[in-house]
Amino acid sequence: MREHSSATLQRHGPLSSVPLGPAWGLLGVAAFSLTVPLTRITVAEGGMSPLFVACGRAVVAGALAATALLVTRPPLPRGRQWIRLGVVAAGVVAGFPLLTSFALTLTSAGHSAVVIALLPAATAVLAVLRTEERPPRAFWWAAAAGAVAAVGFAVFRGGGFGLQWPDLLLFGAVVAAAAAYAEGGLLARELGPWQTISWALVLSAPPMVALSGIALALQPLTASPAQWASFAYLGVVSMFLGFLAWYRGLAHGPMAQVSQIQLVQPVLTLGWAALLLGESLTWSTALGALAVITCAAGAVRTRLGRPAPDAGLPPGSAATRHDSAARAELTAESATGPGAAEQRSAPARARAGR
């Protein structure tokens, strides 16, 4: 394997200086915004079991991912990259779908959207821990305030008091997805954006297929056409195409700015819940969403002024040329496949060595 192959190069900087990250991130968020309402539709009235919805959609996406990998034949992940792919698979292929599917059998899509609104701040916190950044104290205050706002909304919903099982499941889903987003965003800069989610889906395919079979044996399907259409969207768009756009956005970066775009997701989700499910938007839900989104925005914004990994290097230094050559090679590989990057690897190394 060549030195600058995407399977071995450890990159933690954006793939490109062109501001493509926010655009790709917004496309991914738009795709994700329908996930909670459509999951609610699929599990309504026992048409599909939560276990089948969560695992079956991963099987659909896994088939698409395996096809893409077989056609393009990218380099295999190596060493610890498999472990990191396991984190991505555990978080967004298994953890988030399973936990939200079971939670949505017991609570509304609007309530779920407010709790899940904590996800951008949680992603920012885990990205900070993962990259060993040293953000200002305001970052931690804003992240803590967002957590308090989300927990407070869950505790005092509907005039009651106390966390319920759906809330605990949703908080677990937030942690699982945040870990997968932070790790997947970094890994996408090494393997490529679509390759990252594709390898994660293929890695998780065997247990997902087995669990789907168990779900069918335990509860036969009685789904309506609308439920099957919702399931198809979850498998093709939410679990595959949406992640292609989202991880490409995180890979291009800046990751802090791209993660901030996710703040619009709960707003879109609340709109879809009202339109598709007829759920009313209460004052408590609106105020809870506003509080969580505001705190999450504060947590993410405090990271926007962080210096880039290569800040302070002279423009003509060897390190800067090395970084530019490697970044150009990674961008070319992502756009045209591994073969084109291999053809450019020798000139890139020659430029980096001067």
Side-chain angles (χ1 to χ4, degrees):
M1 190 65 62
R2 296 182 181 272
E3 180 185 0
H4 295 301
S5 169
S6 65
T8 60
L9 183 62
Q10 302 294 316
R11 286 290 303 141
H12 296 292
L15 287 179
S16 174
S17 59
V18 180
L20 295 176
W24 282 107
L26 181 60
L27 184 60
V29 164
F32 294 152
S33 67
L34 276 161
T35 299
V36 169
L38 293 183
T39 301
R40 175 69 174 163
I41 290 175
T42 58
V43 299
E45 301 177 355
M48 296 183 183
S49 70
L51 182 61
F52 176 79
V53 171
C55 300
R57 76 193 210 185
V59 173
V60 173
L64 296 175
T67 302
L69 291 172
L70 286 173
V71 170
T72 60
R73 298 185 179 276
L76 287 171
R78 300 184 65 185
R80 290 180 57 86
Q81 288 177 337
W82 286 111
I83 300 176
R84 297 165 63 192
L85 283 170
V87 173
V88 177
V92 296
V93 180
F96 187 87
L98 281 169
L99 293 171
T100 54
S101 294
F102 279 100
L104 284 165
T105 62
L106 303 171
T107 191
S108 68
H111 176 85
S112 301
V114 175
V115 177
I116 295 173
L118 186 61
L119 182 55
T123 303
V125 169
L126 290 179
V128 164
L129 297 176
R130 178 65 179 84
T131 57
E132 299 181 353
E133 292 183 14
R134 295 295 182 267
R137 194 172 295 178
F139 169 83
W140 298 109
W141 280 114
V148 171
V151 173
F153 171 80
V155 168
F156 293 103
R157 64 173 183 169
F161 180 82
L163 287 174
Q164 301 181 16
W165 274 113
D167 302 312
L168 297 178
L169 293 174
L170 291 170
F171 283 124
V174 167
V175 174
Y181 284 175
E183 191 62 54
L186 295 174
L187 194 56
R189 295 171 179 174
E190 302 170 24
L191 297 176
W194 72 266
Q195 294 93 329
T196 297
I197 188 60
S198 294
W199 286 118
L201 286 165
V202 170
L203 185 64
S204 62
M208 292 297 102
V209 170
L211 289 173
S212 297
I214 293 174
L216 287 174
L218 293 175
Q219 180 178 331
L221 298 176
T222 58
S224 65
Q227 289 175 315
W228 278 114
S230 299
F231 177 79
Y233 182 95
L234 294 174
V236 176
V237 180
S238 294
M239 187 62 76
F240 187 64
L241 296 180
F243 276 110
L244 300 190
W246 179 244
Y247 277 135
R248 177 172 285 274
L250 290 176
H252 277 285
M255 191 180 295
Q257 290 179 332
V258 175
S259 64
Q260 187 181 23
I261 295 172
Q262 200 174 23
L263 294 169
V264 306
Q265 184 172 331
V267 178
L268 295 175
T269 298
L270 288 171
W272 288 120
L275 181 63
L276 299 177
L277 303 174
E279 295 185 2
S280 59
L281 182 60
T282 64
W283 280 108
S284 61
T285 300
L287 291 175
L290 179 62
V292 176
I293 291 171
T294 300
C295 295
V300 174
R301 282 183 181 277
T302 57
R303 299 181 62 230
L304 297 183
R306 306 294 296 173
D310 55 355
L313 292 176
S317 66
T320 304
R321 292 196 304 270
H322 180 280
D323 181 79
S324 300
R327 184 177 300 176
E329 181 180 346
L330 277 172
T331 306
E333 180 169 356
S334 176
T336 60
E342 285 295 319
Q343 294 174 3
R344 294 173 174 84
S345 60
R349 288 197 301 274
R351 290 193 299 270
R354 289 200 295 269

